[in-house]
Amino acid sequence: MPAEHAILGLLALDGDGAGDGLGYGYDLARHFGDGQPLAAVLRLEPGMLYHHLKKLDRVGWIAADGPAPETRPARQVYRLTPAGRSELARWLGEPVARTREIRLEFLVKLYFARRLDPARAARLLAEQRDRCRRLEGSLEGQLGRGDDGSSAGSTQDRAFLHLVLDLRLAQTRAAIAWLDRASSAAEP
Amino acid sequence: MPAEHAILGLLALDGDGAGDGLGYGYDLARHFGDGQPLAAVLRLEPGMLYHHLKKLDRVGWIAADGPAPETRPARQVYRLTPAGRSELARWLGEPVARTREIRLEFLVKLYFARRLDPARAARLLAEQRDRCRRLEGSLEGQLGRGDDGSSAGSTQDRAFLHLVLDLRLAQTRAAIAWLDRASSAAEP
DNA sequence: GGGATCATGTAACAGGTTACATGATTCA
DNA sequence: TGAATCATGTAACCTGTTACATGATCCC
């Protein structure tokens, strides 16, 4: 899920100002509110954030160091584990499968890829563009054949299916054009 | 939710071949599988379908007539109530608020509007287009101002927010062009 | 008799939303 | 002293997915 990977990303970036993969709930929550850039794409209420932290701890991608002493109110500091770091890298290297996931999950990937490693961001954009291109070709094929997934159907049915495919194609093409703009904005 | 309104729509259309607002689970389920046009947009497993029927019954938009006699295996026939019919009309007259809802909820509305009342479908398309136009204007304004929702942020932050707004604008414009094509395909 | 189809569900789980609960510390 | 902020959660509820349970009837 994008929310959990965003938490891994924030820890990798700079949990609390030291670049050491450390961070705690309240501090991470700040990135998901107000005028923060991530919040333009992904909202995360405190309740869900703490829920995700527990789950990430359970699967071993982050680890709790026990309640931090010397801090009042007591805060629970987490650190990114090697497993968490490699999971983040895997996720950042993988484009999203569906066009509708670009609006949320891909933008989150792009946000972290640009900050952690600009070369990786360029690769991610190129791979996402490839995938969208293939989807575009498949949709064009279906539209050309008047393909409804199986057989005929009424005229009205075929007109509706044409509208559905036409919309998907238009959204996919808009995404491809955007990916191109994003690539060329990053390079020069 | 789109799934529940789709059930109301199927009952209004022709629950089981009589145009009388009657229908039962197994029969409705057929519309959400295989090569059915609705299934290209909305999938509904039997479990969820029966769940929705119970809920629609609870809120009074459909009513169960008691297990139908004379049918074996026994089927539970539901009929659309006046409240359900007016809820369906309300929903069909209302465009969706966000661009991402066009892919699913708007397509479902369009499917039923075209079948129940082509004039209503034309009105729906026009109103959705209006709404998208306004969104487009607002996004253009934000992009022009370099608006990030509050104050400045780093250069990298502003570049990212620019990408986010650019993507939304592109998707909204693709939707507007599609709505135009859908309108002119319906008229002549 | 037995497999396909008709017909209605339940159970278990995964994930999200909203609102509230709890209590310490800081600072005007 | 009391409001804002720091800090961590719980509870209740809704949505959705997958898989399975149950049993009748039709037709070969």
Side-chain angles (χ1 to χ4, degrees), chain B residues 62 85 102 106 137 149:
Chain B
I62 65 178
R85 220 173 268 278
I102 289 179
F106 182 79

Side-chain angles (χ1 to χ4, degrees), chain B residues 24 26 50 73 75-76:
Chain B
Y24 58 97
Y26 194 85
Y50 286 107
R75 54 173 78 139
Q76 177 56 66

Side-chain angles (χ1 to χ4, degrees), chain B residues 37-132:
Chain B
L38 253 190
V41 171
L42 178 70
R43 299 238 146 225
L44 205 51
E45 302 302 314
M48 276 308 285
L49 175 61
Y50 286 107
H51 173 76
H52 287 313
L53 285 174
K54 290 245 153 131
K55 194 188 156 193
L56 290 171
D57 190 4
R58 232 171 28 242
V59 302
W61 290 342
I62 65 178
D65 286 326
E70 322 266 320
T71 63
R72 318 252 67 217
R75 54 173 78 139
Q76 177 56 66
V77 176
Y78 291 96
R79 58 169 208 285
L80 198 55
T81 63
R85 220 173 268 278
S86 80
E87 167 58 22
L88 177 62
R90 187 200 63 72
W91 179 75
L92 282 178
E94 202 174 65
V96 299
R98 277 152 299 183
T99 302
R100 68 167 173 275
E101 290 166 344
I102 289 179
R103 255 167 190 267
L104 202 146
E105 187 158 5
F106 182 79
L107 281 173
V108 176
K109 283 179 201 255
L110 188 59
Y111 177 83
F112 288 108
R114 282 160 67 94
R115 269 158 188 77
L116 289 167
D117 182 356
R120 168 176 288 162
R123 220 161 47 233
L124 182 61
L125 282 164
E127 278 167 28
Q128 190 66 60
R129 188 180 180 284
D130 267 16
R131 195 165 292 203
C132 286

Side-chain angles (χ1 to χ4, degrees), chain A residues 57-112:
Chain A
D57 191 5
R58 231 170 31 240
V59 300
W61 291 342
I62 66 177
D65 287 326
E70 322 266 320
T71 61
R72 317 254 66 219
R75 54 171 79 139
Q76 176 56 66
V77 176
Y78 291 96
R79 58 170 208 286
L80 198 53
T81 63
R85 221 173 267 278
S86 79
E87 166 60 21
L88 176 63
R90 187 199 63 72
W91 179 77
L92 283 178
E94 202 174 65
V96 298
R98 277 153 299 185
T99 303
R100 66 167 175 274
E101 291 166 344
I102 289 178
R103 256 168 189 267
L104 203 146
E105 187 158 4
F106 182 79
L107 280 172
V108 176
K109 283 180 201 255
L110 189 60
Y111 177 83
F112 289 108

Side-chain angles (χ1 to χ4, degrees), chain B residues 124-157:
Chain B
L124 182 61
L125 282 164
E127 278 167 28
Q128 190 66 60
R129 188 180 180 284
D130 267 16
R131 195 165 292 203
C132 286
R133 273 271 186 224
R134 248 172 316 211
L135 222 189
E136 184 191 23
S138 152
L139 287 168
E140 281 166 347
Q142 284 173 257
L143 259 178
R145 287 196 304 281
D147 195 352
D148 52 19
S150 68
S151 51
S154 71
T155 312
Q156 212 175 16
D157 284 356

